[in-house]
Amino acid sequence: MNNHISYSSRRRAKHTFPKRPMYKEAFQIKPIPLNWFRGVGSAISVGTPALLGVLMGNPALGILASIGGFTFLYVSNETYAQRAVRLFWVALGLAVSFALGSLCSYNTMLTVLMFGIVGGLSTLMFTVYQITGPSGMFFVLAYAVGTSMTANLHVILQDSLILLLGGMFAWVVGMAGVIKNPHRTESKASSAVYYSLANLLSAVGTAEFTDLQHQTASLMQQADRTLMNSKWFGRKDKPYTEKLRALNTQAREIFLSILDISLLPKHEGEEQLSNALQIIGDQLLQKENVSGFTMPTFENELNHSIKNLCLNIQMAAEINSKNANDFKTDPKDYKTKTGFRVLWRNVFTSGSNAPFIALRYGIILVISAAIAYGFHFDRSYWVPLSSASVMGGATYVASLHRGMQRSLGTIIGIIVGAILLWLHPQYVAVPLILASLQFVVELIYGRNYSIAVIFITPSTLLIGSTLQPELTSEYFISARIVDIIIGSAVAMVGITWLWRRTASKRLPSVFKEAVEREGELLAAILNCESIEVRKSIEEKLQNSLIQLRLVYDNAFAESMRRNARTTILWPAVGDSLILGYMLLAASRKDNRINHVSSDRIEKVQHGFAVLAESIENNKKPVMDMPALPEFPSIYEDIMQLKRSLRVLDSSLNVTRL
């Protein structure tokens, strides 16, 4: 692994401590593209059913169907095959939630309890199946609307069917793109990998390298899942899917080659190679004005690592330029989906936080509903709805930001809503306004939630006044101001006290596991184990490294203040990530290692065992690691990790995080 390169000449990534969360970040506008697809799709899904209801002389039923139209909001970056299944179950789930709300409306205690059950179960399902989107929020909304409707069984069945039909219309809208480009999601996932590889190569030796390293590894894993769930819409699509799989496999080789490059001083050809990766990403998206390109050649290059990276990128370009119909791959190379039993068995293991997320969601909804119904608030269901929306944040900090955003956005939104209701929109104006509001919400939702809430609030007021026209606009407006304050407050208190530090409690065990996997892989390399044996360990190690970074980031986001106990661990976590990815790169190379004695391998394994135990027991590691003349840079990485772990004996008590 470039043994002739001294450690001092390598471009090792520098560790910069994570940025402390700021309150003002809640109101910053993120510089991301406007989401036109979601804006137009959601406007059609929500506005069209409402328009049909008006034209048929029953605006209330049209609004019910529009609630089913919120099914479109669960469209994400999944394959069309996955989307077809997911959107169907979401539409059915919304209809069932609405029916449960109507059936439980006769009993206050049952209504309150079911708020928690509907919210908790829907959140658990979305967490387990890794479905992105608004999670259980709109299931709670459908249930809440149901509680305000009549308990007549015939009416319940009719209204539930109308809502389901609205959901199925959203299914059609969400699936419309399959006609033009059935593998748009797969191409997008693969292109994202190559864009990230280009950025990673450009960032070698900079402070951004560690973050981009994690991002690239995560994107490759996500692309694996996407392609694993890809289905063929006709025979002609099969070769193209296999081509994308081969490109993702080749991306792994490029990723490891870039890690190898990071051991060297900067080479003048790196920028050209980075541009080549960028062009491959553009070609996968079929962008205009992207033609073929000439790969830089390094035939006379003496540096093996640069030449190897160039060859790997050339191979990716060749795969991408091949005719898909002539492309064949071995299906044995691809991963299989996790079985139903295994998936749910893993949910209830000690390392899973899915049950805690679902329980917290359900408990907070029950408490907020109990307060609202216990004190007989007008339209009591708006209180738990406000709590549900605040809990949409992935971490404590994100939820706190959402609470602030929702409070300010709702106050401004009520003013906008009051103006709309004062104008008394009639006939087709109602669905057109509803569609316009929904369009703006989804267009800017990702940039800043508080701005989106400004348009969400008048939309909910319009829905409420249409479903129950006998109530005055002042009734809905006054109720919303009180509801948002109470609902947000209950959610923030609950998030603060219920399983807030789950990630930081898991951090030591996840960190220890990653170090143990690193020791296993190094021992396998030194022992010249077969490719099959090393490949199994490599996959486990890469998953452990990704999990380590995710858990650390979540632990860091458990407080608005910079937590010294978590922050001080960052250098050691960063060093472990660098070591792990360097080991992955070393394992994939054709290293000709002379015989390594079993005694030295045992000492290496013992050294990693001591490092893992020091993390678990919160003690400074005391161990002697034998020299590794085969991999001097990896030896230095191990020693750096040992030095970083010295903080454990001073001020960090990770066992009680």
Side-chain angles (χ1 to χ4, degrees):
M1 202 172 169
N2 304 305
N3 298 351
H4 62 286
I5 301 296
S6 66
Y7 181 77
S8 59
S9 66
R10 70 185 283 194
R11 291 171 290 167
R12 198 176 194 278
K14 299 178 181 179
H15 298 311
T16 55
F17 283 99
K19 183 181 177 183
R20 184 172 68 88
M22 305 288 289
Y23 288 104
K24 64 180 181 181
E25 290 175 353
F27 305 106
Q28 291 178 349
I29 299 177
K30 300 176 183 176
I32 60 176
L34 296 173
N35 202 327
W36 294 95
F37 170 71
R38 289 183 65 86
V40 174
S42 61
I44 294 172
S45 300
V46 174
T48 303
L51 179 61
L52 290 175
V54 170
L55 295 177
M56 295 172 64
N58 198 330
L61 285 182
I63 291 295
L64 273 179
S66 294
I67 294 174
F70 288 129
T71 297
F72 181 85
L73 301 184
Y74 291 88
V75 168
S76 185
N77 289 324
E78 68 280 296
T79 66
Y80 279 108
Q82 284 180 300
R83 185 178 298 177
V85 176
R86 288 181 178 180
L87 292 188
F88 170 77
W89 285 111
V90 168
L92 185 61
L94 291 175
V96 171
S97 298
F98 173 82
L100 286 173
S102 299
L103 291 171
C104 297
S105 60
Y106 70 92
N107 185 289
T108 302
M109 290 187 63
L110 185 60
T111 299
V112 169
L113 180 63
M114 286 302 296
F115 262 109
I117 293 176
V118 170
L121 282 179
S122 58
T123 299
L124 180 63
M125 296 292 289
F126 284 108
T127 303
V128 171
Y129 289 101
Q130 300 179 351
I131 301 175
T132 57
S135 188
M137 168 65 190
F138 285 96
F139 286 75
V140 177
L141 171 64
Y143 173 81
V145 173
T147 61
S148 66
M149 309 300 281
T150 178
N152 182 287
L153 186 59
H154 175 74
V155 176
I156 292 174
L157 290 174
Q158 172 192 283
D159 291 350
S160 300
L161 180 60
I162 293 295
L163 195 147
L164 179 60
L165 289 174
M168 296 314 298
F169 175 74
W171 183 97
V172 173
V173 176
M175 292 295 297
V178 73
I179 300 172
K180 181 180 179 182
N181 189 353
H183 291 290
R184 176 181 176 274
T185 302
E186 292 91 325
S187 298
K188 189 176 179 181
S190 296
S191 68
V193 170
Y194 279 86
Y195 285 146
S196 188
L197 286 170
N199 294 333
L200 180 67
L201 180 55
S202 298
V204 172
T206 68
E208 292 79 24
F209 184 77
T210 302
D211 288 339
L212 286 170
Q213 183 177 251
H214 168 70
Q215 180 193 81
T216 306
S218 299
L219 286 171
M220 289 190 296
Q221 190 179 68
Q222 181 180 332
D224 268 343
R225 286 197 300 265
T226 299
L227 295 170
M228 184 172 58
N229 289 287
S230 180
K231 301 292 183 181
W232 307 316
F233 294 86
R235 280 187 172 182
K236 65 179 182 179
D237 295 319
K238 179 179 178 181
Y240 183 71
T241 305
E242 292 179 338
K243 174 180 173 178
L244 292 179
R245 285 171 169 165
L247 277 169
N248 203 47
T249 300
Q250 187 60 27
R252 294 185 180 282
E253 299 301 323
I254 297 172
F255 175 69
L256 296 174
S257 295
I258 293 174
L259 297 183
D260 202 29
I261 289 294
S262 69
L263 298 176
L264 308 172
K266 186 174 180 61
H267 191 279
E268 59 183 7
E270 290 179 18
E271 194 62 33
Q272 292 175 284
L273 295 173
S274 177
N275 291 336
L277 290 168
Q278 183 82 21
I279 292 174
I280 292 174
D282 289 341
Q283 290 176 336
L284 284 168
L285 290 181
Q286 299 178 350
K287 287 190 174 181
E288 297 180 0
N289 301 323
V290 176
S291 57
F293 62 97
T294 303
M295 276 291 301
T297 57
F298 299 94
E299 295 178 359
N300 300 322
E301 177 61 50
L302 298 177
N303 190 302
H304 173 74
S305 296
I306 288 289
K307 187 179 291 185
N308 186 54
L309 175 60
C310 181
L311 289 174
N312 280 326
I313 296 176
Q314 282 180 337
M315 188 173 294
E318 289 173 8
I319 293 172
N320 193 36
S321 63
K322 279 186 179 181
N323 189 327
N325 292 324
D326 299 329
F327 200 85
K328 294 182 180 180
T329 54
D330 186 356
K332 293 181 180 179
D333 294 338
Y334 306 132
K335 300 176 184 178
T336 57
K337 291 188 285 188
T338 305
F340 178 83
R341 290 184 179 180
V342 175
L343 183 66
W344 281 96
R345 192 188 306 133
N346 293 338
V347 170
F348 298 101
T349 59
S350 58
S352 173
N353 63 344
F356 301 112
I357 294 174
L359 277 173
R360 181 174 63 190
Y361 201 94
I363 290 171
I364 292 175
L365 287 181
V366 168
I367 293 173
S368 59
I371 292 173
Y373 283 89
F375 287 95
H376 303 288
F377 288 1
D378 293 331
R379 315 319 302 167
S380 302
Y381 58 77
W382 286 117
V383 176
L385 267 178
S386 297
S387 296
S389 64
V390 170
M391 289 188 288
T395 62
Y396 170 78
V397 170
S399 296
L400 181 60
H401 283 169
R402 285 180 75 94
M404 297 166 60
Q405 291 167 336
R406 185 159 183 83
S407 299
L408 179 62
T410 299
I411 292 173
I412 300 175
I414 284 175
I415 298 174
V416 177
I419 295 173
L420 282 178
L421 295 181
W422 177 73
L423 294 173
H424 298 289
Q426 300 291 330
Y427 201 53
V428 296
V430 173
L432 291 178
I433 293 174
L434 193 61
S436 300
L437 291 171
Q438 191 60 40
F439 169 76
V440 175
V441 167
E442 291 304 315
L443 189 68
I444 64 175
Y445 188 92
R447 287 196 170 187
N448 189 277
Y449 181 63
S450 59
I451 299 177
V453 173
I454 294 175
F455 299 93
I456 291 174
T457 301
S459 179
T460 56
L461 292 175
L462 194 58
I463 289 174
S465 63
T466 304
L467 286 174
Q468 296 174 305
E470 69 278 5
L471 300 176
T472 63
S473 59
E474 291 80 4
Y475 173 86
F476 289 102
I477 293 171
S478 61
R480 287 292 285 152
I481 295 175
V482 176
D483 296 342
I484 187 62
I485 296 174
I486 296 176
S488 298
V490 171
M492 290 314 307
V493 171
I495 290 171
T496 302
W497 290 99
L498 294 176
W499 298 292
R500 173 181 166 185
R501 300 194 178 276
T502 303
S504 54
K505 289 179 180 178
R506 290 184 59 208
L507 184 56
S509 62
V510 174
F511 194 0
K512 176 191 174 187
E513 181 182 349
V515 172
E516 289 174 339
R517 300 292 188 200
E518 290 168 349
E520 289 178 23
L521 183 56
L522 180 55
I525 295 172
L526 295 176
N527 204 29
C528 296
E529 296 285 359
S530 65
I531 295 176
E532 290 74 17
V533 172
R534 280 188 292 172
K535 193 172 182 180
S536 174
I537 301 174
E538 288 170 12
E539 185 176 342
K540 292 177 181 177
L541 173 57
Q542 185 161 330
N543 290 336
S544 295
L545 295 175
I546 292 173
Q547 188 69 9
L548 173 60
R549 182 58 193 268
L550 288 174
V551 172
Y552 181 85
D553 288 345
N554 287 338
F556 189 79
E558 288 177 346
S559 174
M560 289 297 294
R561 298 180 180 180
R562 177 175 283 181
N563 189 325
R565 293 179 176 179
T566 302
T567 304
I568 202 171
L569 254 188
W570 172 242
V573 170
D575 288 331
S576 180
L577 293 172
I578 290 175
L579 171 61
Y581 285 115
M582 287 297 121
L583 284 167
L584 289 172
S587 180
R588 289 294 181 94
K589 292 191 69 177
D590 184 20
N591 298 293
R592 298 180 180 179
I593 302 175
N594 295 325
H595 176 71
V596 180
S597 66
S598 58
D599 180 61
R600 188 150 68 97
I601 294 176
E602 288 178 2
K603 288 181 179 179
V604 168
Q605 290 175 317
H606 175 71
F608 274 93
V610 171
L611 291 174
E613 288 175 7
S614 72
I615 295 169
E616 182 180 31
N617 300 323
N618 186 34
K619 292 183 179 179
K620 182 169 62 176
V622 179
M623 55 86 171
D624 293 321
M625 178 66 67
L628 296 172
E630 302 86 357
F631 304 105
S633 295
I634 287 179
Y635 176 79
E636 290 294 337
D637 286 336
I638 296 172
M639 292 297 100
Q640 180 60 40
L641 175 59
K642 176 186 174 182
R643 288 190 289 270
S644 298
L645 287 173
R646 289 176 180 173
V647 298
L648 294 179
D649 207 26
S650 55
S651 60
L652 185 65
N653 189 353
V654 293
T655 58
R656 289 181 289 179
L657 280 177

